[in-house]
Amino acid sequence: MTIRIGIAGYGNLGKGVECAIRHNPDMELAAVFTRRSPDSLKILTEGVKVYAYEEIVSKKDFIDVLILCGGSATDLPVQTPELVRHFNVVDSFDTHAKIPEHFAAVDAAAKQGKKVGIISVGWDPGMFSLNRLYAGAVLPGGHDYTFWGRGVSQGHSDAIRRIKGVKDARQYTIPVDEALKAVREGKNPELTVREKHTRECFVVAKEGADLERIREEIVTMPDYFSDYDTTVHFISEEELMRDHKGIPHGGFVIRTGSTGWEDNHSHVIEYSLKLDSNPEFTASVLISYARAAYRLNQEGQSGGKTVFDIAPAYLSSLTGEELRRHLL
């Protein structure tokens, strides 16, 4: 049976979900919902309607899984608990410190609606989270290290764009080579955030803006830049579009540990990603967990879930027999 997918929000992530559906023959796009004027939106899939966000609940009988493509700051904390009463949902909520409270809200609403709500799906949280869990289970008592980049941080770029006098900006998160090398060699260094990553900003300023003030506001911004060595470059809009148009990202999850009676053998587990398009890859992860949400609900399950709760077989379009024959 084809799984009917709805997309709530049609920014970079929503477009990525639409593209990912095309690569999964057991799925089809059923509808797109937007807070913009539906008539102003041109999507890629022929014959699929775009609806106003306010119409979303009225279409619940035609959608098997709704993928929520809003932001973690203000959209998903409201939308996911609200919509999981009516739909099986998957979101990419990525504010790590607030995941427990978000999960509690979604879990309660999902059980009330007898639906499945899978939260915090993507690559971090998501794929990186799984690898931290697997590696920690295999090497207990070891050390976890997570490095991000080199890649564009959309949240940090947006924070710069909110500064007075800034027209546009891109911010790159960059691992410190010396720190990454020490971890890979199993030296188990104690690293501060400043020692693990640097931040590089490319800023287009509005005409007449005070560049030194903008630079100072960036490098002293709490929770974003103040704890890091940050470099700011002022460039033209043409240079930004030419050299920094894409949204690449990636990173590494590394676990070091030892085995043996006297801990005499050292081991390093490393998982890495190099992504040409952060939102398109995240969308592909969301789609695989949409398949899991549908299957779990078909089995009669409900409530909140994270990537830790989903058996890998639920993500694949292959049957159990095919998985055992070809991948095990």
Side-chain angles (χ1 to χ4, degrees), residues 64-231:
D64 296 313
V65 184
L66 183 65
I67 299 182
L68 307 181
C69 300
S72 296
T74 58
D75 295 330
L76 298 178
V78 175
Q79 290 177 352
T80 311
E82 187 178 81
L83 292 171
V84 78
R85 291 184 174 90
H86 309 282
F87 300 90
N88 298 311
V89 304
V90 182
D91 80 15
S92 60
F93 184 81
D94 65 359
T95 307
H96 289 264
K98 295 184 177 180
I99 285 175
E101 63 184 81
H102 184 58
F103 177 84
V106 173
D107 184 47
K111 287 174 178 173
Q112 183 182 26
K114 297 182 179 179
K115 299 294 185 180
V116 170
I118 309 178
I119 69 158
S120 299
V121 172
W123 58 276
D124 198 1
M127 303 299 290
F128 275 15
S129 312
L130 281 173
N131 281 274
R132 286 189 284 263
L133 185 153
Y134 285 134
V138 172
L139 294 176
H143 296 79
D144 279 326
Y145 298 92
T146 302
F147 292 88
W148 298 279
R150 171 182 177 113
V152 174
S153 169
Q154 296 181 84
H156 286 71
S157 301
D158 183 62
I160 298 172
R161 287 192 286 268
R162 293 173 186 270
I163 294 174
K164 182 181 178 182
V166 173
K167 186 174 183 180
D168 204 350
R170 297 289 186 279
Q171 190 264 227
Y172 292 86
T173 302
I174 307 167
V176 175
D177 287 337
E178 294 81 3
L180 192 53
K181 183 173 184 287
V183 170
R184 283 174 168 160
E185 290 176 352
K187 294 180 178 178
N188 297 326
E190 295 290 335
L191 299 170
T192 65
V193 292
R194 189 180 299 274
E195 290 169 329
K196 288 177 66 180
H197 297 92
T198 62
R199 297 195 180 278
E200 189 170 15
C201 311
F202 294 86
V203 181
V204 179
K206 294 179 181 177
E207 189 173 350
D210 184 339
L211 302 189
E212 194 51 45
R213 175 189 57 77
I214 293 173
R215 184 192 307 273
E216 185 65 16
E217 284 196 41
I218 293 172
V219 300
T220 60
M221 189 183 297
D223 301 323
Y224 285 88
F225 298 102
S226 60
D227 292 332
Y228 299 85
D229 291 334
T230 302
T231 305

Side-chain angles (χ1 to χ4, degrees), residues 1-21:
M1 179 178 177
T2 302
I3 303 170
R4 300 168 298 177
I5 303 293
I7 297 174
Y10 196 72
N12 289 326
L13 185 57
K15 292 174 185 175
V17 170
E18 183 181 19
C19 293
I21 291 170

Side-chain angles (χ1 to χ4, degrees), residues 140-141 257-267:
S258 57
T259 59
W261 193 255
E262 300 292 340
D263 290 329
N264 48 322
H265 294 108
S266 297
H267 309 279

